[in-house]
Amino acid sequence: MTSGTSAHEKTFFGHPRGLATLFGTELWERFSWYGLRAILATFMVTSPATGGLGLTEATAQAIVGIYGALIYLVALPGGWVADRVLGARKAVLWGGVVIMCGHISMAVPVRTGAFVALGLFLIIVGTGLLKPNISTMVGRLYPQNDDARRDAGFSIFYMGINIGAFVAPIVVGWLASGDRWHLGFGAAAVGMALGLIQYVRGRRHLRGVGDEPGHRLTPAERRHFGLTALAVVVVIAVALAAWTASGTFSLDAFALAMTLIILAVPVLYFGYILLGSHNLTDDERSRVKAYIWLFIAAAIFWMIYDLAPTVLLFFAENKTDLSLFGIPITAATTQAFNPLFIMIFVPVFAVLWVRLGNRVTAPQKFAAGLFVNGLSFMLMALAAKLAESGRISVWWLVLVYLVQVFGELALSPVGLSITSKLAPQAFRSQMLGLWFMSFAVGDSVGGQTGRLKNHMSEPAYFLTLAVISVVASLVLLAFAGRLHAMMREHREPSAPPSP
């Protein structure tokens, strides 16, 4: 069901009132997500004597990387559950409730990792239900042919995401300072609760959007789905119990095993697309092959970019003078630099890409994003070298985040656009899920890069990752012309092969 806006209906900046409901819900959900993200790694490495878990930085980095990766992975089954079982509206509601319970579990003031593990698990499951489906509901607020207003509505919606992402590290970081970790986690729970209140109270403005699944399962299919889900849970639980009983289980080993599984998923899925019998045209097959290159480039980008809540956070905590304009700040506050710069520069880059038009191809934009991302870690290598003589100014991190945002705005929006453009007809929706898989691969592999610190200095660590990104950008740039030709954007589509 879609909804227009009548002449006498109150609007939200000229848009359907339902956008205000979804805007507020997403703002508070992102507040809870980025609030937890801003303090999670430092909580994990803090001594149990002061309320933390006492993990090493490398282990915390690996766990946070897997946590971030799973957040993106569960978007695929979360969208399926909404389409087949719950409907988008109920999926968002139940997702928010589960997320809130996860933050409450994190906030329980006991010195055991059990509540932390339960909390992170619940947040992963809840985000899988909420995150993909609330975006779907935004799109359904508008008539099918109202593309211009829909695009503008998404721009307003994404502003809510960045407002929540900007405010959360400042507020939650301040509340959690002085080892008041569970107060910070509690604030994240309150944020999600406020989002749920906004969502329930504004339900009438949604005008039935997302009330029903797009393709509801039959009763027999629902029973089959329930039994299959239960069997999967039992198998995973038994496997983990057996692994633990063997005495070989550790958080590092678990993170490594999950990383290998996550890496296998896109490999198998690309193989399924290219080798399966889907009646792909020659052009579609060529475009998928070109997209694999961009997928790998994106994964390398996120491998470095998403080290912000771990490596860069530890650097802020241990190596910088946490003061801006003479005002003391927390290490968590440095996580607010990124969304602030995004809000400032998104309009600039939107105008830039329009003016450049087709003169700069998608592979060239990806190469630019990778190069700039590598440059940011070259700056980090220099900052780490200077920090060997004592704490340095936090303005180094401000500069690093500024440079990284330039890289993100060169690659991330283009990635979404090119994914839609290159997707075969039979895989339109699934390819968008595959794009987010690049985040999962990058986050999980980035979490494992902490192992390099056992064999090299911190400046060398940053420089190694910078070189990987720069070399990848140069390789991509060298093949940009070939990839652009493989995309076959201006050719008439070839006939599908005979069945």
Side-chain angles (χ1 to χ4, degrees):
M1 179 176 178
T2 58
S3 173
T5 305
S6 69
H8 303 291
E9 182 185 358
K10 290 183 178 180
T11 63
F12 179 65
F13 294 108
H15 292 265
R17 282 290 298 277
L19 181 62
T21 298
L22 301 178
F23 173 94
T25 304
E26 180 72 350
L27 186 156
W28 285 112
E29 187 274 330
R30 291 291 88 183
F31 174 93
S32 70
W33 159 253
Y34 281 101
L36 170 66
R37 187 177 185 257
I39 65 173
L40 180 59
T42 45
F43 162 72
M44 286 183 167
V45 301
T46 298
S47 168
T50 51
L53 297 183
L55 304 181
T56 65
E57 288 191 3
T59 300
Q61 181 179 336
I63 295 300
V64 173
I66 292 299
Y67 169 62
L70 291 176
I71 287 290
Y72 292 110
L73 275 179
V74 294
L76 287 172
W80 186 90
V81 168
D83 282 342
R84 298 293 188 268
V85 182
L86 293 175
R89 185 185 63 79
K90 288 181 181 177
V92 171
L93 176 63
W94 285 110
V97 170
V98 174
I99 290 170
M100 183 181 67
C101 291
H103 287 297
I104 291 173
S105 180
M106 296 284 293
V108 174
V110 295
R111 296 182 180 180
T112 172
F115 282 97
V116 175
L118 175 62
L120 294 179
F121 172 76
L122 291 175
I123 293 167
I124 289 168
V125 172
T127 304
L129 287 172
L130 186 148
K131 187 62 178 168
N133 296 308
I134 195 169
S135 298
T136 298
M137 292 175 69
V138 172
R140 293 179 183 173
L141 290 173
Y142 300 87
Q144 192 68 29
N145 60 350
D146 198 356
D147 291 341
R149 290 181 72 238
R150 184 183 298 107
D151 289 347
F154 269 108
S155 296
I156 295 173
F157 179 72
Y158 287 130
M159 184 60 69
I161 292 174
N162 284 293
I163 291 172
F166 171 68
V167 174
I170 300 172
V171 174
V172 174
W174 174 73
L175 289 172
S177 62
D179 299 322
R180 299 182 304 233
W181 303 108
H182 300 288
L183 186 59
F185 297 141
V190 170
M192 191 65 255
L194 292 173
L196 285 169
I197 292 171
Q198 165 96 8
Y199 187 67
V200 172
R201 293 190 63 182
R203 174 186 172 183
R204 65 186 184 279
H205 299 305
L206 298 176
R207 295 180 170 273
V209 167
D211 276 1
E212 295 297 327
H215 305 282
R216 187 186 292 275
L217 297 179
T218 65
E221 289 172 331
R222 286 172 70 97
R223 286 193 297 272
H224 182 263
F225 165 69
L227 291 173
T228 302
L230 179 61
V232 169
V233 171
V234 170
V235 168
I236 293 174
V238 169
L240 286 174
W243 190 5
T244 303
S246 71
T248 60
F249 178 87
S250 70
L251 290 177
D252 286 321
F254 173 76
L256 179 59
M258 289 301 304
T259 298
L260 295 175
I261 292 171
I262 291 166
L263 284 171
V265 172
V267 172
L268 294 173
Y269 203 81
F270 277 121
Y272 169 71
I273 293 175
L274 291 173
L275 303 177
S277 177
H278 310 296
N279 290 328
L280 299 186
T281 67
D282 290 341
D283 284 354
E284 286 179 329
R285 197 173 299 277
S286 178
R287 288 169 183 152
V288 171
K289 290 178 180 177
Y291 184 75
I292 292 174
W293 284 67
L294 301 181
F295 180 94
I296 295 171
I300 294 172
F301 179 90
W302 300 119
M303 176 186 75
I304 293 176
Y305 188 88
D306 279 349
L307 291 176
T310 52
V311 175
L312 299 192
L313 183 64
F314 294 144
F315 188 86
E317 179 79 26
N318 302 322
K319 303 293 180 68
T320 70
D321 177 16
L322 290 168
S323 173
L324 284 174
F325 303 108
I327 301 173
I329 62 172
T330 65
T333 298
T334 62
Q335 301 292 290
F337 299 157
N338 174 278
L340 174 63
F341 288 138
I342 288 176
M343 287 188 286
I344 293 172
F345 288 105
V346 159
V348 177
F349 273 76
V351 172
L352 175 64
W353 296 141
V354 170
R355 291 190 175 181
L356 288 174
N358 292 327
R359 287 175 290 175
V360 181
T361 65
Q364 290 170 333
K365 292 174 182 176
F366 267 61
L370 271 173
F371 183 86
V372 171
N373 211 30
L375 179 60
S376 75
F377 263 41
M378 288 183 181
L379 289 172
M380 278 305 305
L382 178 57
K385 187 65 177 178
L386 294 173
E388 288 179 346
S389 301
R391 287 183 178 264
I392 62 173
S393 171
V394 76
W395 284 102
W396 278 95
L397 283 177
V398 174
L399 178 60
V400 167
Y401 280 116
L402 175 63
V403 172
Q404 283 194 343
V405 162
F406 291 159
E408 180 187 7
L409 294 178
L411 183 143
S412 186
V414 179
L416 280 171
S417 175
I418 202 66
T419 299
S420 298
K421 185 181 295 184
L422 299 183
Q425 187 64 40
F427 294 92
R428 288 288 180 188
S429 297
Q430 296 174 60
M431 283 288 282
L432 285 173
L434 196 57
W435 165 249
F436 288 111
M437 183 69 67
S438 71
F439 292 64
V441 170
D443 281 11
S444 59
V445 174
Q448 292 299 317
T449 63
R451 297 171 183 265
L452 294 175
K453 291 184 179 180
N454 296 328
H455 309 286
M456 60 179 62
S457 67
E458 193 166 49
Y461 168 78
F462 287 121
L463 189 59
T464 298
L465 294 182
V467 169
I468 291 172
S469 189
V470 169
V471 169
S473 74
L474 295 177
V475 171
L476 189 62
L477 187 62
F479 287 91
R482 173 61 179 159
L483 290 175
H484 187 60
M486 290 172 66
M487 292 177 185
R488 303 182 180 184
E489 296 177 275
H490 306 296
R491 290 179 44 172
E492 290 296 322
S494 59
S498 300

